[in-house]
Amino acid sequence: MPRTYRRWSHPRDDEAPRRPSRVTWPIGRSGERGCVVKATFATVKVANVAFATPAHGPSTTTHLTGCHISLRPVDQRGMDSGRTRLAARRALVYLSARFAAIRIMTAWARGKRKALLVLAVAASAVWIGLDRWLQVGDQIASIISGMLLVGVLTVNRVRRFLGLGANVSNALEQAAATTSIRYLGEAAPRNFVNRESSLKTLNDLLDLHLAACRAHRIPSQALVMTIGGMAGVGKTALALHWAHQVKDQFPDGQFFVNMRGYSADGRSVAPSEVLERWLRQLEPDAPLPDTLDALSAMFRDILATRRVLLVLDNVSGEEQVRPLLPSVGASVAIVTSRDALDGLAGIEVTTAESLSELTPQDSQRMLTAIIGQPAIDSPESIARLARYCAHLPLALRVAAGSIVTKSRRGYPLKTLIAAFEIEEHRLSRLGSGSGDSRSDVRVAFSYSYQALDATARRAFRLLGLHLAAGSTIDAYVMGALLDKPSAEAATILERLEHRGLVAVVVNEAAQSTEPELRYLAYRYRVHDLLRLYAGELILRRRHRRERIAALQRLTEAYHGCVNYAFTMQNKKNPMVDIEYVEKWCADPAGRASVDLAGSPTEWFDRERPNLLGAVHAAAAARPRPRYTAKLACSLFYFLEIGGHLSDWAAVEEVGAEAATASGDRHDRARSLRNRGRFALVKVLDTQDRLRDDRVAHSVDRTPCREAIALLESSLDLYRKEHRQRGLRRDQAGEVTVLRELGDSYRLKVDPAAPHPALIAAAIEKYDEAADIYATLDNENGLNSLRLALGIAYVLEDPEDRSGKAEELFTQSHRYGTMIDSGRAQHGRLAAYSLIHLGELRHQQGRQDEAIQCYREAVAMLRAHVPHDHVRRARALALLAQALAESGARHEAGVHFHEALTMFAARGRSHEDEASVVTLWLARHGIDDQRNA
């Protein structure tokens, strides 16, 4: 029968003494996976030694045959490190002694002196007997284990001499250590890039902290640092990378624990459990108190006189981590969390690092380091992959790992990268399907989402309905999505920011707003991959009603914002839905949301991706929100003046379909008008381009016919609607269409060969429009019409012998420069009037007056229309041309080159105008003068 050695197991302080049982010694790290060993020897009777926790009993063993020991991990909980070491040493001493008995004679024959010493000491265990040996105590066991391992080389020689397996050798080396566990337990991350600034901050703080500890005999305040950021941004990687760099400076121990604050089952690690593990490792024989506060106080007392490094990873909140933080002494704690941990700031925490995604260059470095030579050979493809991963470290690692695996099976790199291009499939590509947050981006995001309360979850889902890539959102729009007041929506956005699901963007220019609306100064950005995840959530079937209702509120809110910005930019424009704006303005948060952007055009530029996304989302929804057509048709003005013609075409297509489906005659009339305007703009842009009089050129005027047909249909619907309902909005639509019909007839005229009938038709439509503008008391529309009518008179008489055109240009300019709220009420109209007035005076030979008009036009465009770079470049070129002709060649050269730079910045769309400027430079010899 195999012999089984028995002993009394040591009872815990809160337990009664147990009956003798099989020898049970824990081995392994606290709270991790221990080992169970069963040893079998060919020449000796079987000896069973089970390593397990006394509270849990022996566990399943692995078999060992001959002279090789294999270790298999089993679950261990509540193990104490000091007893673990002692038990391991005792067991290994006994096993070594049994091996020594087998080979003692061989050792003598070979003259292995060190091995002979080891074997002789170990053999004493056999002679005395294990039962008595175990009673010798901790000190003798430590001495004997130290004698076993005189040095690392001796261990290897003993292993070879005795024929022991490598696992026994490693176990002997670990047993020889007389201090507590001093390793992090987690390997340093591979392919770690960037974070130089964060690493420098951590190192500088550590150096200052240790210097302060050395300078004072009394313990200084412990150093506690936090690393925050969204899921997958590399918080754990940074903490472990830094910890492995500095671990040698902490001789009393380095501890790592995953607090599981964000996990699949939502069950985080209790701080009391961590404290019990660590205290048993730091003070094996000390009794442990029962309460969390007492455990924390004991832990802090111990750390006050030691230098220990603590890495607390994946923390869910302040309450989970606060009891684990040292208070005084040389110890250092570094905490990682998706949570902002604001409650620790300034009290327990010395500094807080917040990580964001990597730079494009560092993203490519990481991908290249993992993928290898194929990435080096295809830098453009790697740059695209980095963009698809939105520079998130976790996504980069997952994507690179997938590519490496599939490349080995023969897939080409470019094909693999192209698979990430489709947004709808991107998150699926960035996951292994294993459900492991370390290898699946969607799973990592889900832990943060599941940790939210129901209201915050709903808010996060709705962000996927609204946000376009790279855009931001404020509390007003969030309130519309949630159907809540803006102030409450601001609080919800703060909760999302606290959890690392959005990032705050501060509008510094908006800090001067009223205190009650100060929260609108903050806008929030969602990482692109988080945006895709939110979009997946909101598109689930069970959220259909929520999605449709939110889209309805969003389109209504944006319709108000767009029309309010429209009327602020272009006072009393008849196409503004003024009745709706008056009701919408009852909420001051909506007005502030637009006003805080600085100007209506700046607001639109910021919101344009979101507005376009809202229109397309509403068009795809079933049932379609009732304001879909209205919102789509209200965007034309800002899309036109911003030059976003491709976006405009797409939006008008949506508006036409939505208006037809709704059956609303007003919406159909407005859609037809917008499409007619779009056709007209093609010719307007061509006509307004810089041309050289000495170079023949032609303009395609066929879009004018398309515009006239659409506008005539729109005019008919507006008149029917006005006759039936008598609403002001339909009369405003009618006058706008009449004005644009006049533009269509005018633009059909070739200035080189004027067509009197077309000019007369244009003037007739303008006169009809002027009567309605007067009826509506719309000074803005009337003065804008005067500019168009003046251009028609110039076509009729290029030298304006009657003076009608000059008078009309002067009137429209005067109106545009009238001061309203501290600025010109219509700077764009004033600038355009000055440009046409300058051209007229240049044509009349009044050169000095023409130059003055151009100067004022450039100044007006700079001050009031700063985003209209093309129009300003044209005005600069006309000014330079007039200056050059008057002999002011140096000043002309300055303006020529500024205009040329602005045209070049617009790319190929304005190459022809840049060529005209280059031609004028050469004609006046200004290039040669500049080079000289």
Side-chain angles (χ1 to χ4, degrees):
M1 290 291 294
R3 183 180 178 185
T4 301
Y5 292 94
R6 310 175 70 84
R7 72 173 176 88
W8 285 93
S9 57
H10 293 284
R12 295 171 60 180
D13 296 328
D14 57 349
E15 294 179 339
R18 301 178 180 177
R19 294 178 60 83
S21 61
R22 181 186 301 181
V23 176
T24 56
W25 296 304
I27 182 171
R29 279 172 292 162
S30 171
E32 300 185 8
R33 299 181 70 81
C35 298
V36 174
V37 179
K38 180 176 181 179
T40 307
F41 305 98
T43 58
V44 184
K45 291 182 178 181
V46 176
N48 295 332
V49 182
F51 295 77
T53 308
H56 293 82
S59 302
T60 306
T61 63
T62 61
H63 291 279
L64 173 142
T65 305
C67 296
H68 179 76
I69 294 179
S70 62
L71 304 177
R72 190 177 75 180
V74 297
D75 290 337
Q76 297 291 316
R77 296 180 182 275
M79 301 171 58
D80 85 50
S81 170
R83 289 173 182 164
T84 296
R85 289 287 181 175
L86 178 58
R89 287 198 296 269
R90 289 172 175 173
L92 291 167
V93 166
Y94 168 72
L95 292 175
S96 300
R98 300 289 286 188
F99 287 125
I102 300 171
R103 301 222 178 177
I104 187 77
M105 296 306 296
T106 307
W108 182 267
R110 293 186 177 180
K112 305 284 188 177
R113 294 185 181 180
K114 288 184 178 179
L116 180 59
L117 174 62
V118 169
L119 293 173
V121 174
S124 65
V126 179
W127 183 260
I128 298 174
L130 184 60
D131 291 69
R132 188 179 302 174
W133 173 271
L134 293 173
Q135 298 173 5
V136 174
D138 291 355
Q139 293 182 352
I140 296 178
S142 298
I143 294 171
I144 295 176
S145 63
M147 293 177 66
L148 276 171
L149 301 178
V150 178
V152 175
L153 292 176
T154 305
V155 171
N156 293 330
R157 294 177 66 183
V158 169
R159 178 181 63 80
R160 290 195 300 269
F161 171 67
L162 295 175
L164 299 179
N167 289 337
V168 172
S169 157
N170 295 335
L172 290 173
E173 290 180 15
Q174 292 181 9
T178 57
T179 61
S180 62
I181 297 177
R182 293 180 181 174
Y183 49 86
L184 291 167
E186 290 287 332
R190 300 178 62 186
N191 304 310
F192 184 85
V193 299
N194 192 262
R195 310 302 188 197
E196 284 86 359
S197 175
S198 297
L199 288 171
K200 184 178 185 303
T201 300
L202 297 176
N203 286 325
D204 290 347
L205 287 170
L206 177 62
D207 292 342
L208 290 172
H209 173 68
L210 295 180
C213 291
R214 287 190 294 268
H216 300 85
R217 295 187 179 276
I218 59 172
S220 64
Q221 181 181 2
L223 176 61
V224 180
M225 302 174 285
T226 64
I227 301 175
M230 62 175 287
V233 80
K235 302 179 293 295
T236 304
L238 173 62
L240 283 173
H241 181 80
W242 180 77
H244 277 276
Q245 284 185 334
V246 302
K247 63 183 179 182
D248 291 340
Q249 300 187 54
F250 298 92
D252 297 322
Q254 309 105 35
F255 299 98
F256 172 92
V257 62
N258 179 1
M259 300 298 293
R260 291 176 52 82
Y262 294 87
S263 59
D265 55 11
R267 297 174 59 186
S268 59
V269 178
S272 58
E273 182 180 349
V274 178
L275 286 170
E276 288 177 2
R277 296 177 192 170
W278 286 354
L279 287 170
R280 285 175 179 150
Q281 292 178 358
L282 292 167
E283 293 291 337
D285 299 321
L288 300 183
D290 297 328
T291 65
L292 176 61
D293 290 341
L295 286 169
S296 179
M298 179 179 177
F299 180 65
R300 289 174 173 174
D301 287 344
I302 293 172
L303 261 57
T305 58
R306 304 191 189 186
R307 190 187 296 178
V308 175
L309 174 63
L310 308 176
V311 181
L312 304 163
D313 185 42
N314 193 14
V315 170
S316 63
E318 296 93 341
E319 296 306 316
Q320 186 188 24
V321 74
R322 183 176 280 116
L324 305 175
L325 299 178
S327 55
V328 296
S331 293
V332 173
I334 184 164
V335 183
T336 74
S337 179
R338 304 179 191 187
D339 194 288
L341 301 179
D342 293 335
L344 301 180
I347 304 174
E348 288 91 350
V349 173
T350 306
T351 186
E353 284 288 307
S354 182
L355 300 185
S356 60
E357 58 269 25
L358 296 175
T359 64
Q361 295 76 16
D362 287 322
S363 298
Q364 294 175 48
R365 282 174 53 202
M366 176 183 285
L367 291 171
T368 302
I370 298 173
I371 296 173
Q373 189 61 43
I376 298 174
D377 297 337
S378 304
E380 298 84 4
S381 299
I382 294 301
R384 284 205 316 276
L385 179 60
R387 289 196 300 273
Y388 296 152
C389 295
H391 311 293
L392 186 69
L394 175 61
L396 294 166
R397 291 184 184 277
V398 172
S402 172
I403 287 173
V404 169
T405 302
K406 293 180 179 178
S407 295
R408 292 169 181 166
R409 302 202 299 267
Y411 289 92
L413 178 65
K414 291 185 178 180
T415 302
L416 293 172
I417 292 177
F420 291 88
E421 186 173 357
I422 303 174
E423 279 197 349
E424 291 79 5
H425 302 157
R426 193 170 296 165
L427 287 180
S428 297
R429 297 284 181 182
L430 292 173
S432 61
S434 64
D436 186 350
S437 62
R438 294 170 298 181
S439 59
D440 195 314
V441 174
R442 185 188 283 113
V443 172
F445 290 165
S446 70
Y447 293 171
S448 295
Y449 174 72
Q450 294 299 331
L452 299 172
D453 59 76
T455 302
R457 288 185 192 178
R458 178 168 172 256
F460 179 73
R461 288 195 302 270
L462 291 173
L463 289 175
L465 181 67
H466 163 260
L467 283 177
S471 59
T472 58
I473 188 173
D474 65 4
Y476 170 71
V477 178
M478 188 78 256
L481 287 168
L482 290 168
D483 196 20
K484 293 182 180 295
S486 300
E488 185 177 347
T491 303
I492 296 170
L493 282 169
E494 288 177 7
R495 295 214 300 269
L496 292 178
E497 190 271 335
H498 194 270
R499 293 287 187 178
L501 290 168
V502 299
V504 66
V505 180
V506 181
N507 180 7
E508 298 292 346
Q511 296 300 309
S512 60
T513 188
E514 308 93 58
E516 63 271 14
L517 297 176
R518 188 66 54 82
Y519 59 84
L520 289 170
Y522 301 101
R523 297 185 64 84
Y524 296 86
R525 180 179 65 87
V526 180
H527 188 271
D528 200 31
L529 295 180
L530 274 172
R531 176 184 63 85
L532 296 181
Y533 178 64
E536 288 184 352
L537 295 173
I538 195 61
L539 289 176
R540 290 177 179 174
R541 185 183 298 273
R542 64 175 176 269
H543 300 309
R544 178 177 175 275
R545 290 185 179 179
E546 175 185 342
R547 182 170 67 249
I548 298 300
L551 275 172
Q552 177 62 46
R553 295 189 297 270
L554 180 65
T555 52
E556 291 177 6
Y558 267 150
H559 183 62
C561 287
V562 170
N563 280 273
Y564 174 72
F566 193 177
T567 195
M568 295 301 293
Q569 177 71 19
N570 195 334
K571 300 291 185 182
K572 298 183 180 179
N573 189 293
M575 294 304 291
V576 174
D577 191 347
I578 194 64
E579 291 87 355
Y580 186 87
V581 170
E582 288 174 352
K583 292 185 294 183
W584 175 86
C585 282
D587 182 3
R591 300 196 310 271
S593 177
V594 177
D595 294 340
L596 290 178
S599 71
T601 52
E602 288 178 307
W603 173 85
F604 185 83
D605 288 342
R606 185 186 68 194
E607 291 289 346
R608 180 169 63 89
N610 296 332
L611 289 164
L612 296 174
V615 167
H616 291 293
R622 294 296 181 273
R624 185 181 282 128
R626 64 179 180 274
Y627 271 79
T628 302
K630 289 179 170 57
L631 176 60
C633 293
S634 67
L635 301 181
F636 78 93
Y637 177 77
F638 289 105
L639 291 173
E640 178 183 343
I641 65 175
H644 308 294
L645 299 186
S646 59
D647 291 338
W648 188 9
V651 165
E652 291 305 334
E653 184 177 344
V654 171
E657 182 186 354
T660 302
S662 70
D664 187 303
R665 189 158 53 189
H666 176 81
D667 288 346
R668 287 168 55 208
R670 185 163 187 174
S671 174
L672 286 166
R673 176 265 164 194
N674 283 359
R675 288 152 60 197
R677 176 71 182 178
F678 181 76
L680 198 61
V681 164
K682 300 175 186 176
V683 185
L684 276 169
D685 181 68
T686 303
Q687 180 176 289
D688 289 345
R689 285 176 176 263
L690 290 178
R691 302 292 180 189
D692 186 77
D693 295 337
R694 304 182 190 180
V695 179
H697 61 275
S698 61
V699 176
D700 181 15
R701 303 181 191 279
T702 54
C704 291
R705 290 197 295 271
E706 179 187 357
I708 290 172
L710 291 166
L711 292 169
E712 290 286 1
S713 299
S714 174
L715 181 63
D716 183 57
L717 289 174
Y718 271 129
R719 283 174 170 169
K720 287 180 181 178
E721 188 75 0
H722 183 250
R723 284 195 299 269
Q724 181 176 341
R725 305 181 65 180
L727 295 178
R728 181 185 176 92
R729 66 175 189 178
D730 297 309
Q731 195 173 19
E734 179 185 355
V735 72
T736 301
V737 173
L738 283 170
R739 149 70 190 274
E740 287 168 351
L741 274 170
D743 290 341
S744 301
Y745 287 120
R746 174 174 61 82
L747 290 172
K748 284 186 71 175
V749 177
D750 184 353
H755 194 295
L758 290 175
I759 296 174
I763 292 174
E764 180 185 354
K765 296 297 181 185
Y766 289 148
D767 288 340
E768 287 185 54
D771 293 338
I772 300 177
Y773 276 131
T775 301
L776 295 172
D777 192 24
N778 190 323
E779 281 294 316
N780 184 75
L782 187 59
N783 280 279
S784 179
L785 182 66
R786 285 170 178 158
L787 173 62
L789 187 58
I791 297 172
Y793 281 132
V794 170
L795 283 175
E796 189 178 47
D797 180 9
E799 295 186 4
D800 189 33
R801 285 180 287 270
S802 66
K804 293 180 181 178
E806 183 172 359
E807 182 181 355
L808 291 168
F809 291 151
T810 302
Q811 288 176 351
S812 61
H813 166 250
R814 187 183 301 119
Y815 172 81
T817 54
M818 290 176 63
I819 301 301
D820 181 15
S821 301
R823 56 177 292 151
Q825 64 178 352
H826 202 326
R828 184 183 297 274
L829 175 62
Y832 289 4
S833 299
L834 285 167
I835 291 173
H836 285 286
L837 192 58
E839 289 177 325
L840 176 61
R841 289 173 175 170
H842 184 268
Q843 180 73 21
Q844 294 170 339
R846 299 155 65 182
Q847 201 75 348
D848 292 342
E849 294 178 57
I851 291 173
Q852 184 61 30
C853 287
Y854 290 141
R855 288 190 194 279
E856 292 180 17
V858 170
M860 187 67 66
L861 289 167
R862 287 189 198 277
H864 300 284
V865 201
H867 298 290
D868 195 345
H869 301 291
V870 171
R871 188 73 65 171
R872 190 161 84 242
R874 290 169 182 166
L876 283 165
L878 292 171
L879 171 60
Q881 173 78 333
L883 287 168
E885 290 177 355
S886 65
R889 293 159 55 86
H890 177 75
E891 186 182 356
V894 173
H895 295 311
F896 269 137
H897 290 296
E898 184 180 356
L900 190 60
T901 301
M902 296 176 74
F903 281 131
R906 303 294 292 184
R908 299 182 61 182
S909 60
H910 292 276
E911 282 181 348
D912 57 332
E913 295 187 272
S915 300
V916 171
V917 175
T918 303
L919 177 63
W920 288 350
L921 278 165
R923 181 176 296 164
H924 295 290
I926 294 176
D927 254 348
D928 296 337
Q929 181 184 8
R930 182 190 64 168
N931 294 335

